[in-house]
Amino acid sequence: MTRIGLISDTHGFLDEKVFEHFKDCDEIWHTGDFGEDVAGRLAAVKPLKGVYGNIDGQNIRSQYPEQLVFMCEGVKVMMRHIGGYPPKYNPETRKQLATHHPQLFISGHSHILKVMYDEQAACLHINPGAAGRQGWHKVRTIIRLVIDGTNMSNCEVIELGKR
């Protein structure tokens, strides 16, 4: 069983409450737009996987790729910052989904929290919303979920407060 903390679009702001909410997580996955110092702070407390976002500079881009495809237990995961959502994926994401056939696709960028199953791609799509203060979202959010073998469960949306 792997407990995951999902976070996105911090834009350089990391609420201290994130550490409390992710304390029992085994890994943290950040879907881009880290901003300064966020990656280092998260990686200091838990193993961190991430992808760079459109606001991230060379320092983040040299450490994190545009896309990650990996296995977490028995679940194939694909992560990209800019992806869209079912069925409105951007063309590159649509191509990558068809190539990799993940069971879980995680993206960020829109600052819009979404947890939805894509029947056509046979894939769960998650966008954890935005945990930072920049953007037009009204409430800052993160997500926790559990992967146990091929089972994804206990998906919890956590509100961190107003932007």
Side-chain angles (χ1 to χ4, degrees):
M1 179 172 68
T2 306
R3 294 165 301 208
I4 297 130
L6 296 178
I7 187 168
S8 189
D9 294 278
T10 45
H11 292 259
F13 173 76
L14 189 57
D15 191 318
E16 291 299 317
K17 291 184 270 188
V18 168
F19 297 106
E20 179 63 24
H21 290 297
F22 287 173
K23 73 178 180 194
D24 294 327
C25 292
D26 300 301
E27 299 180 358
I28 298 172
W29 299 351
H30 195 298
T31 62
D33 280 359
F34 285 89
E36 291 300 313
D37 302 322
V38 170
R41 290 179 62 205
L42 291 171
V45 297
K46 298 286 178 179
L48 177 65
K49 287 181 172 69
V51 293
Y52 70 77
N54 54 296
I55 67 116
D56 290 316
Q58 190 55 40
N59 184 39
I60 293 294
R61 289 173 187 243
S62 67
Q63 296 175 61
Y64 300 96
E66 179 179 19
Q67 174 174 290
L68 271 179
V69 178
F70 59 95
M71 293 297 294
C72 179
E73 300 209 13
V75 175
K76 190 177 208 180
V77 180
M78 186 173 101
M79 253 181 12
R80 301 177 60 83
H81 180 61
I82 301 174
Y85 59 91
K88 298 179 180 183
Y89 300 113
N90 66 41
E92 183 59 25
T93 298
R94 190 177 316 283
K95 177 181 156 190
Q96 294 298 319
L97 288 167
T99 298
H100 296 289
H101 304 286
Q103 287 83 46
L104 175 59
F105 171 54
I106 306 166
S107 66
H109 184 63
S110 70
H111 295 216
I112 300 170
L113 172 72
K114 286 190 186 283
V115 179
M116 56 194 301
Y117 190 74
D118 182 346
E119 294 283 346
Q120 186 173 0
C123 176
L124 178 63
H125 171 259
I126 299 178
N127 182 326
R133 289 184 170 158
Q134 291 184 322
W136 57 272
H137 58 286
K138 294 185 190 293
V139 176
R140 296 174 294 111
T141 55
I142 57 176
I143 289 180
R144 287 188 301 221
L145 83 140
V146 172
I147 296 178
D148 191 0
T150 59
N151 186 38
M152 295 174 275
S153 64
N154 297 338
C155 186
E156 300 174 84
V157 172
I158 299 161
E159 293 185 354
L160 298 171
K162 293 186 178 182
R163 180 176 57 90

